[in-house]
């Protein structure tokens, strides 16, 4: 039942795969029993060749069992697995009997392993008989899937990571890869360093860290990407830069696509005006594109998370088809996924509108899957996509909902409405590795899931590379892999024969056999070369790009190099794209964009456990252009309300000229476990792409106003503190406990009085000035620091690094006690904002070294080690260098 650890290459070494982003880096783990040493990048993994970003290199810090869900729960009480599984199966049966299979739904995640995903999809679509299984990948890359299928006849990523290094022109559009896909970005940065003639263009309303290596940044008006690529298509036609031969021999629909593009983009000047960019810069980009055969366009959530994301994807693919730049080394459109196994989900039909093995609900493919599974009740039609699924819950149409490995009350648009919708279900089951999330709080049944390092299976990264994720630790308590729980429910529903798997290898084998079943080269997804693997061969499986078959026994790097597509006539399709201009709903005079920060992942259930990842961005924030902030009397570091008719967030203001006027940026990660009021999904509306069902996360109308509180402050405590009786709080872990940034409208002394009962008895030291709302408290237990509270009228934070070091002291010295009460160290050691999380180097340390003459990234690296491990912080180091040079120039 528990997946055994794979056969290690040495007694204490396991090669596995990072569970975070779609780059899919190989990770090598050294371990002795339960003890895990710092992880390293696998030198032999083709995705990363030994590199890891800061999130990957902190993986070993996230393996503790704090907060884990370790046994099944029914309405908050410990239950046996048998009871929980029986209740689930009984309820599914009763709902099907009373309301039909369409009243049952599953909601999964790109975090699930392919084997978990496969059995969930098989149970729902094949045996329950409804296709109501969707996933948080709907929020990530569903638009790219539609764009691929419309253009190529299949959901095929045509290229590979090597193409990004081989390109002479690399375009990032809607992608802050420096933060979201750091290792791939570092590979590209290294290629650029080796070949300085390689051109990099970033298309993004924000000037992000990715622009650090850009030759050109087009800060377009949000949502005008299709205008840009349509205008480029017109330019290519008018300047005679089309690949007429490729268009004639391998495509359909060019004339109609061009005609529509011409009507959208009547002149370069008009297009530049629509996009709010300089026409000369736009022309420069068009000329580079026209004259660079080796061009890659890498696109991500900035394209996909849009009410017209599918069309934007096709506008990108159109310019590649028009120039024949597809399937060639260094020439391809390239969609990169956010999640580690979004691609695996696509392969098994994890989306409600797909069947397994890249098949659809069309007559012949449905029949094929039905026969292969021997599933006479196979769903006849596509199911509900994520937003529709939760709206059906709200209408009372879904009676049973099983959520796996995801936290929709944080990540879904209109997240508070999702909460209300789930309350309408008769039974909500959540499988999770963490006990307390926004979503587990509203479920009646909780199933403890095995987590990274404990579970065993495969994932597929953004270049179609299948890698093994191997377990090396036993799951805590009664936690089990998701595939096991799904199969146990299936058996109780009477489908024992179809779900008699003993090991993930058995599931993978069936998955591979289905991909090969009656394929004969007709479908892109073909793992016929991986069928019949023994358990040992499965355990030893090396990373390989699909397809794996007779023609490509070692995998295939590129598709479509033969000019053969998977459409009816084997020709690619130009899609006629009428560029939609963004139409944000009313709600305010600022447009809110959302996205990732460098050191966190999704809803922080894992990265929130690593102290060093909590330092780069310690609290939820909103970035404003300085002029927008000034117009609203908002200053840097102040708390601000961000609101519209759906809700209100309370965030810390940050000011940056890298933000366009009229727009703000808010990160996506903070949950109710980490901040008082920062779930950005509560403000997002339900507008979706009509083809993909992917919601618009990049353009939400909001208002902003300053939030004035009577006091602000911070707490460091060995114990977690909850609740915090104040207006604002944001929490993070430290090596010895927790830190909290807080603010309140009550009396500071009352806050202290209310919080003290949560702390153990000990020796308190206090300094108080009620007139100034100054309250300082130091709690010592046997001479050791237990808690420090600092409350002041204005934002004034004691240097956290110094404070954390005091928590490591066995005894607090008399001098340090005085410093703690005084609110400042005797020797001022403020290290500034965290820049290099790997080596804990702050901005002030870097500035100090700069002034001492270490004025290059390399020299700073030599002096402080910053930027010398994963390299994720190099853009920020360069920004500090740039700032220092400007100051000198002034
Ligand atoms: S880039 Fe970082 S987060 Fe993404 S897979 Fe690699 S190590 Fe993990």
């Amino acid at each position: 039942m528990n997946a055994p650890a794979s056969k290690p290459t040495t007694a204490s070494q396991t090669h596995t795969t990072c569970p975070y982003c779609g780059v899919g880096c190989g990770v090598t783990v050294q371990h002795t029993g339960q003890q895990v040493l710092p992880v390293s990048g696998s030198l032999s993994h083709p995705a990363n060749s030994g590199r890891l970003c800061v999130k990957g290199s902190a993986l070993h810090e996230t393996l503790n069992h704090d907060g884990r869900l370790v046994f099944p729960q029914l309405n908050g009480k410990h239950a046996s697995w048998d009871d929980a599984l029986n209740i689930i199966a009984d309820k599914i049966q009763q709902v099907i009997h009373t309301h039909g299979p369409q009243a049952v739904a599953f909601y999964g995640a790109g975090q699930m392993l392919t084997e978990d995903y496969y059995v969930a999809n098989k149970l729902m679509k094949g045996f329950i008989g409804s296709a109501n299984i969707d996933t948080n990948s709907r929020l990530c890359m569903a638009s790219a899937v539609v764009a691929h299928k419309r253009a190529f006849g299949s959901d095929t990523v045509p290229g590979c990571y090597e193409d990004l290094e081989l390109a002479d022109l690399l375009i990032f559009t809607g992608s802050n890869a420096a933060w979201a896909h750091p290792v791939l970005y570092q590979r590209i940065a290294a290629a650029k360093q080796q070949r300085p003639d390689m051109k990099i263009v970033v298309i993004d309303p924000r000037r992000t860290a990715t622009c650090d290596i850009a030759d050109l940044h087009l800060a377009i008006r949000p949502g005008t990407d299709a205008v840009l690529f349509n205008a480029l298509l017109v330019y290519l036609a008018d300047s005679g830069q089309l690949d007429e031969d490729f268009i004639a021999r391998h495509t359909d629909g060019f004339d109609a696509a061009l005609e529509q593009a011409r009507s959208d983009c009547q002149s370069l000047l008009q297009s530049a005006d629509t996009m709010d960019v300089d026409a000369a810069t736009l022309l420069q980009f068009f000329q580079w594109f026209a004259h660079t055969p080796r061009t890659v366009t890498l696109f991500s959530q900035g394209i996909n998370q849009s009410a017209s994301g599918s069309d934007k994807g096709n506008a990108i693919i159109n310019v590649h088809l028009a120039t024949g730049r597809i399937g060639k080394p260094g020439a391809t459109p390239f969609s990169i996924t956010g999640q580690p196994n979004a691609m695996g989900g696509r392969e098994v039909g994890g989306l409600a509108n797909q069947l397994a093995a890249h098949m659809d609900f069309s007559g012949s493919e449905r029949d094929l899957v039905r026969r292969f599974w021997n599933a006479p009740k196979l769903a006849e039609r596509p199911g509900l996509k994520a937003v529709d699924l939760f709206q059906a819950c709200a209408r009372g149409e879904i009676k049973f909902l099983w959520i796996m490995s995801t936290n929709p009350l944080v990540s879904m648009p209109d997240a508070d409405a999702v909460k209300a919708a789930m309350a309408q279900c008769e039974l909500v089951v959540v499988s999770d590795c963490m006990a307390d999330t926004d979503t587990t709080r509203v479920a009646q049944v909780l199933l403890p899931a095995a987590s990274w390092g404990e579970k065993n299976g495969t994932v597929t990264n953004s270049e179609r590379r299948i890698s093994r994720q191997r377990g090396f630790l036993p799951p805590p308590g009664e936690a089990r892999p998701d595939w096991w729980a799904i199969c146990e429910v299936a058996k109780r529903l009477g489908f024992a024969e179809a779900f008699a798997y003993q090991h993930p290898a058995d599931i993978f084998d069936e998955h591979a056999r289905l991909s090969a079943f009656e394929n004969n080269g007709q479908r892109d997804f073909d793992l016929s070369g991986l069928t019949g693997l023994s358990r040992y061969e499965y355990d030893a499986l090396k990373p390989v790009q699909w397809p794996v078959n007779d023609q490509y026994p070692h995998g295939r790097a590129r598709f479509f190099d033969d000019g053969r597509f998977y459409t009816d006539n084997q020709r690619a399709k130009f899609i006629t794209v009428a560029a939609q201009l963004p139409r944000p709903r009313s709600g305010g005079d600022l447009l809110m964009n959302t996205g990732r920060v460098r050191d966190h992942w999704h809803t922080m259930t894992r990265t929130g456990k690593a102290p060093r990842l909590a330092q780069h961005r310690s609290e939820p924030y909103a970035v404003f252009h300085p002029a927008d902030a000034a117009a609203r009397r908002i200053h840097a570091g102040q708390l601000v309300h961000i609101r519209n008719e759906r809700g209100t967030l309370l965030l810390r203001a940050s000011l940056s000229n890298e933000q366009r006027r009229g727009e703000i940026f808010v990160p996506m990660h903070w949950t109710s476990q980490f901040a008082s009021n920062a779930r950005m999904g509560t403000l997002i509306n339900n507008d979706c792409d009509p083809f993909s069902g992917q919601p618009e996360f990049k353009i939400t109308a909001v208002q902003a106003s300053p939030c004035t509180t009577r006091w602000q402050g911070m707490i460091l405590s060995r114990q977690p503190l909850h609740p915090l009786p104040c207006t604002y709080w944001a929490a993070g872990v430290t090596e010895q406990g927790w830190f909290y940034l807080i603010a309140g409208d009550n009396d500071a002394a009352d806050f202290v009085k209310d919080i003290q009962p949560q702390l153990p008895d000990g020796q308190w030291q206090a300094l108080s000035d009620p007139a100034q709302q100054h309250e300082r408290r130091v709690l010592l237990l046997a001479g050791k620091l237990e808690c420090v509270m600092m409350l002041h009228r204005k934002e004034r934070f004691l240097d956290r690094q110094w404070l954390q070091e005091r928590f490591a002291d066995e005894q607090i010295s008399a001098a340090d006690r005085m410093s703690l009460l005084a609110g400042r160290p005797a020797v001022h050691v403020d290290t500034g904002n965290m820049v290099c999380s790997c080596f804990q180097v702050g901005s002030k340390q870097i500035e100090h070294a700069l002034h001492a003459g270490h004025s290059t990234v390399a020299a700073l690296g030599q002096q402080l080690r910053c930027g010398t491990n994963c390299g994720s912080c190099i853009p920020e180091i360069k920004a500090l260098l740039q700032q220092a040079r400007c100051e000198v120039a002034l």
Side-chain angles (χ1 to χ4, degrees):
M1 184 164 65
N2 287 345
S6 61
K7 201 176 179 76
T9 51
T10 71
S12 58
Q13 189 179 72
T14 299
H15 294 294
T16 183
T17 312
C18 176
Y20 296 127
C21 82
V23 177
C25 296
V27 178
T28 300
V29 187
Q30 309 278 347
H31 49 97
T32 315
Q34 293 275 11
Q35 176 139 26
V36 179
L37 299 175
V39 301
S40 56
S42 298
L43 289 166
S44 59
H45 198 290
N48 56 318
S49 304
R51 295 179 178 93
L52 287 180
C53 76
V54 65
K55 292 188 286 287
S57 53
L59 271 167
H60 58 282
E61 296 175 32
T62 67
L63 295 171
N64 64 59
H65 295 166
D66 296 349
R68 286 291 298 271
L69 180 63
V70 290
F71 47 75
Q73 291 183 22
L74 294 178
N75 295 316
K77 298 210 171 65
H78 188 161
S80 69
W81 266 104
D82 226 25
D83 284 351
L85 294 165
N86 287 339
I87 283 172
I88 293 168
D90 288 351
K91 188 66 190 176
I92 292 174
Q93 265 169 339
Q94 182 248 310
V95 168
I96 292 173
H97 181 72
T98 314
H99 304 282
Q102 303 301 334
V104 178
F106 293 174
Y107 186 67
Q111 300 282 310
M112 294 168 74
L113 302 184
T114 298
E115 291 75 2
D116 300 325
Y117 243 141
Y118 179 88
V119 291
N121 186 57
K122 179 177 176 181
L123 175 59
M124 178 54 87
K125 289 182 183 147
F127 291 83
I128 289 176
S130 149
N132 289 339
I133 171 166
D134 214 47
T135 139
N136 65 4
S137 294
R138 180 72 58 193
L139 317 178
C140 170
M141 50 66 211
S143 295
V145 174
V146 170
H148 288 161
K149 290 174 84 165
R150 293 197 301 192
F152 310 144
S154 57
D155 177 20
T156 314
V157 173
C160 58
Y161 292 163
E162 187 189 37
D163 291 328
L164 311 178
E165 296 166 319
L166 293 175
D168 294 323
L169 171 63
L170 179 62
I171 302 153
F172 291 97
T173 180
S175 161
N176 180 12
W179 282 18
H181 300 100
V183 165
L184 201 53
Y185 176 81
Q186 292 300 333
R187 282 179 62 167
I188 295 163
K192 166 98 175 144
Q193 200 167 24
Q194 275 184 0
R195 293 189 296 121
D197 288 345
M198 177 187 188
K199 295 267 189 302
I200 308 275
V201 174
V202 175
I203 301 166
D204 195 314
R206 295 189 299 146
R207 184 171 183 82
T208 64
T210 301
C211 295
D212 180 49
I213 57 168
D215 299 281
L216 196 150
H217 172 214
L218 284 165
I220 61 171
R221 194 190 304 276
T224 57
D225 318 72
V227 176
L228 189 151
F229 285 96
N230 268 359
L232 175 57
L233 188 66
V234 173
Y235 178 84
L236 293 168
D238 291 350
S239 57
Q241 298 297 331
L242 299 172
D243 186 337
E244 307 275 8
D245 182 54
F246 184 88
I247 293 171
R249 290 175 55 205
H250 299 302
T251 71
D252 289 329
F254 174 73
D255 291 342
L258 179 61
E259 191 183 330
Q260 179 63 51
R262 280 197 195 287
S263 88
D264 285 345
C265 310
Q266 287 164 11
S267 73
L268 187 114
L269 272 179
Q270 177 236 358
S271 301
D273 190 49
T274 306
M275 287 179 258
D276 192 23
V277 294
D278 171 56
T281 313
L282 186 64
L283 178 62
Q284 172 74 87
F285 166 58
F286 285 0
Q287 287 170 338
W288 284 353
F289 192 102
H291 298 290
T292 313
R294 286 189 172 213
T295 294
V296 172
T297 306
L298 182 149
F299 63 103
S300 188
Q301 271 76 329
I303 295 293
N304 298 331
Q305 289 182 330
S306 159
S308 58
S310 304
D311 279 353
K312 288 175 182 173
N314 281 112
I316 292 167
I317 292 170
N318 281 351
V319 296
H320 277 268
L321 293 175
T323 47
R325 294 174 192 165
I326 191 157
K328 297 175 182 160
T332 186
F334 194 90
S335 145
I336 185 159
T337 64
Q339 301 201 75
N341 199 29
M343 294 283 276
R346 283 147 77 164
E347 289 154 17
V348 301
L351 294 166
N353 51 328
Q354 295 180 343
L355 281 179
H358 276 204
M359 285 184 270
D360 278 331
F361 285 88
S362 69
S364 60
E365 292 187 338
R366 183 180 170 277
D367 180 60
L368 188 154
V369 177
R370 183 184 58 75
R371 284 186 287 113
F372 182 84
W373 279 346
N374 190 19
K377 284 195 293 187
L378 187 83
E380 292 176 356
R381 59 177 192 273
L384 296 165
K385 300 177 182 127
V387 168
D388 299 333
L389 189 153
F390 286 104
Q391 287 180 340
C393 292
R395 293 192 298 273
E397 293 166 13
I398 301 293
K399 308 292 182 188
F400 173 92
L401 177 63
W402 188 351
I403 296 168
M404 303 172 204
S405 301
T406 185
N407 197 356
L409 292 198
V410 179
S411 54
M412 280 292 292
D414 211 359
D416 282 342
V418 170
K419 184 175 181 182
M422 283 167 60
Q424 299 305 309
C425 298
E426 291 176 5
L427 187 70
V428 175
V429 179
V430 173
S431 296
D432 207 300
C433 57
M434 298 302 289
D436 183 23
T437 73
D438 288 86
T439 303
T440 59
R441 287 178 187 183
V442 298
Q444 291 84 43
V445 180
L446 298 183
L447 300 180
S451 184
W452 184 83
E454 301 154 8
K455 56 186 183 178
N456 195 10
T458 56
V459 291
T460 307
N461 74 3
S462 298
E463 62 167 354
R464 293 177 277 104
R465 191 176 297 281
I466 297 170
S467 298
R468 290 278 284 105
Q469 217 183 77
R470 298 180 171 95
F472 49 89
L473 292 171
E478 299 170 26
R480 300 283 183 270
D482 287 330
W483 68 265
W484 176 85
I486 296 161
C487 291
E488 287 300 309
V489 169
K491 288 172 193 167
R492 284 162 173 77
L493 290 170
F495 310 127
E497 199 183 331
F499 290 86
Y501 313 105
Q502 299 298 310
H503 188 277
D506 305 340
I507 304 170
F508 184 83
D509 182 56
E510 184 178 304
H511 168 55
R513 285 190 291 108
L514 175 55
S515 76
F517 188 56
E518 298 177 10
N519 190 328
N520 306 318
Q522 298 304 303
R523 304 192 302 272
D524 63 338
F525 184 66
D526 180 2
L527 301 184
S528 49
L530 296 177
T531 57
L533 298 183
S534 68
R535 239 175 242 184
Y536 178 77
E537 287 168 324
Y538 174 76
D539 263 359
L541 185 67
K542 291 203 164 32
V544 62
Q545 279 175 294
W546 62 256
V548 185
N549 52 24
D550 284 348
Q551 195 179 356
Y552 300 100
H554 305 295
R556 183 179 183 182
R558 297 177 184 87
F559 271 86
F560 312 135
D561 39 347
D562 52 3
R564 178 180 160 265
F565 295 84
Y566 289 92
T567 54
D568 289 349
N569 62 2
Q570 301 194 351
R571 295 162 71 86
K573 309 290 182 206
F574 281 91
I575 299 301
T576 299
V577 172
Q580 315 260 328
L581 292 183
R583 289 191 298 270
R585 292 195 199 175
S586 61
D589 52 354
L590 290 167
L591 287 183
M592 181 179 79
N593 186 357
T594 61
R596 299 185 193 284
V597 304
R598 194 189 74 188
D599 291 3
H600 276 305
W601 177 254
H602 277 197
T603 57
M604 293 164 65
T605 45
R606 179 172 291 278
T607 52
K609 287 180 156 197
R612 69 172 142 144
L613 299 182
Q615 298 196 40
H616 179 243
R617 294 288 184 269
S618 304
E619 58 184 334
Y621 60 94
V623 190
F624 292 81
H625 187 281
D628 288 330
R632 290 162 181 78
R633 299 181 187 281
I634 292 168
H635 64 78
Q638 186 172 22
L639 290 174
V640 286
H641 283 124
I642 307 292
R643 62 164 67 86
N644 62 19
E645 66 271 24
R646 277 171 294 283
T648 303
L649 307 181
L650 186 52
L651 311 171
R652 186 81 60 188
S654 164
L655 272 47
S656 169
N657 283 311
E658 295 167 356
Q659 197 69 30
R660 282 169 50 99
R661 285 207 63 177
E663 296 161 24
I664 64 169
F665 174 80
V666 170
M668 61 182 270
H669 308 283
W670 274 267
T671 67
S672 304
Q673 290 72 51
F674 288 96
S676 49
N677 204 354
R679 291 183 300 134
M680 62 84 200
T682 56
L683 268 55
I684 310 282
N685 66 56
N686 275 325
D687 291 346
C688 292
D689 180 281
F691 307 104
S692 69
Q694 182 155 357
E696 171 72 78
F697 276 97
K698 301 295 186 185
I699 304 170
T700 301
V702 295
Q703 300 166 24
S705 57
C707 169
T708 311
T709 53
R710 289 179 70 195
W711 54 265
Q712 302 222 21
M714 66 190 294
I715 303 175
L716 267 88
S717 167
R718 288 189 198 275
Q719 314 284 330
L721 302 172
H722 195 77
L724 287 158
C726 54
T727 310
Y728 169 83
W729 60 267
V733 290
T734 66
E735 293 291 348
Q736 285 84 20
W738 289 82
F739 74 84
Y740 299 90
L741 299 169
I742 51 176
D745 250 346
N746 47 352
D747 205 76
D750 287 344
F751 171 83
V752 170
K753 207 162 64 192
D754 289 345
I755 206 83
Q756 278 177 330
Q758 293 191 39
L759 290 156
D761 287 338
Q763 183 192 356
W764 281 100
Q765 299 194 330
L767 200 82
S768 191
D769 181 354
Q772 294 299 317
Q773 296 292 318
H774 285 194
E775 297 293 336
R776 296 179 197 146
R777 298 287 186 282
V778 176
L779 175 61
L780 299 170
L781 286 187
K784 210 168 168 182
L785 202 51
E786 177 68 22
C787 178
V788 177
M789 292 188 226
M790 301 277 160
L791 279 60
H792 300 274
R793 186 183 289 284
K794 296 230 167 91
E795 309 104 75
R796 186 173 148 207
F797 304 126
L798 197 57
D799 179 56
R800 211 166 80 201
Q801 200 152 333
W802 178 80
L803 249 182
Q804 285 173 205
E805 284 164 15
R806 299 294 66 76
F807 271 79
D809 292 346
E810 280 305 315
Q811 290 288 306
I812 292 293
S813 68
D816 283 341
R817 282 184 207 203
M818 291 307 295
S819 294
L820 287 165
L821 278 178
R824 70 180 69 85
V827 181
H828 191 66
V829 289
D830 187 1
T831 50
N833 295 330
M834 187 56 63
V835 175
C836 174
S837 301
C838 295
F839 293 116
Q840 301 284 287
V841 184
S843 57
K844 296 210 169 146
Q845 291 169 282
I846 294 173
E847 284 163 12
H848 189 71
L850 275 168
H851 289 134
H854 305 284
S855 55
T856 63
V857 172
L860 288 166
Q862 249 180 356
Q863 182 67 14
L864 301 170
R865 301 178 74 197
C866 54
T868 58
N869 185 34
C870 74
S872 302
C873 61
I874 287 175
E876 282 159 89
I877 297 172
K878 284 189 180 171
L880 289 169
L881 270 167
Q882 180 69 22
Q883 191 182 318
R885 284 185 192 126
C886 290
E887 281 166 12
V888 170
L890 283 171

